[in-house]
Amino acid sequence: MRIHLSSVFVDDQEKALRFYADVLGFVKKHDVPMGEDRWLTVVSPEEPDGTELLLEPSGHPAVEPYKTALVQDGIPAASFAVDDVRAEFGRLCELGVRFTQEPLEMGPITTAVLDDTCGNLIQIAHSK
């Protein structure tokens, strides 16, 4: 068994696609119209057949309180692996990304937390 799909709730799918593709560097995998929304997934360019991230519309009434609570408590909705958190932090800062946590070393793991502009905090992490 392996993880095939995970999702983050986004308040605007087109805005989310621009951020996740143009800023974070993911690649659009599926874009299927489904009424007012889309089945919209992105993947790592390093693993085009790997785990997909669904940019899930935030339309369900439970989503906004859930997302708000996570953000207020500083809890990331997802975590993405990078080779070097400090280098990625610098690259993303140059692109105007807002971080809520600068790179932080915790033993063998370094993390940073960013705002995805779509209502979520996202962690980037690497381990030594």
Side-chain angles (χ1 to χ4, degrees):
M1 187 177 301
R2 56 186 159 50
I3 297 171
H4 168 70
L5 178 78
S6 188
S7 64
V8 290
F9 290 108
V10 298
D11 46 22
D12 181 320
Q13 286 185 298
E14 192 58 38
K15 180 180 175 184
L17 178 59
R18 285 191 307 271
F19 183 82
Y20 281 80
D22 298 344
V23 177
L24 296 185
F26 291 105
V27 177
K28 181 170 56 173
K29 175 86 175 199
H30 296 289
D31 189 351
V32 180
M34 300 185 73
E36 293 181 19
D37 298 315
R38 299 145 61 183
W39 180 264
L40 181 60
T41 66
V42 294
V43 294
S44 168
E46 298 170 15
E47 296 180 1
D49 295 321
T51 304
E52 295 177 43
L53 180 68
L54 176 62
L55 303 177
E56 179 89 34
S58 294
H60 190 281
V63 173
E64 278 311 308
Y66 167 76
K67 284 175 45 175
T68 299
L70 289 180
V71 170
Q72 285 178 347
D73 289 346
I75 300 171
S79 181
F80 302 142
V82 297
D83 292 332
D84 182 332
V85 168
R86 292 188 188 284
E88 194 66 13
F89 173 81
R91 180 186 81 81
L92 292 173
C93 283
E94 287 180 12
L95 293 173
V97 173
R98 185 178 76 82
F99 279 80
T100 61
Q101 177 202 301
E102 294 190 6
L104 177 64
E105 290 184 27
M106 298 173 282
I109 298 172
T110 303
T111 66
V113 178
L114 61 94
D115 179 342
D116 78 348
T117 74
C118 301
N120 302 291
L121 298 179
I122 301 295
Q123 181 180 69
I124 57 173
H126 81 260
S127 57
K128 296 177 186 175

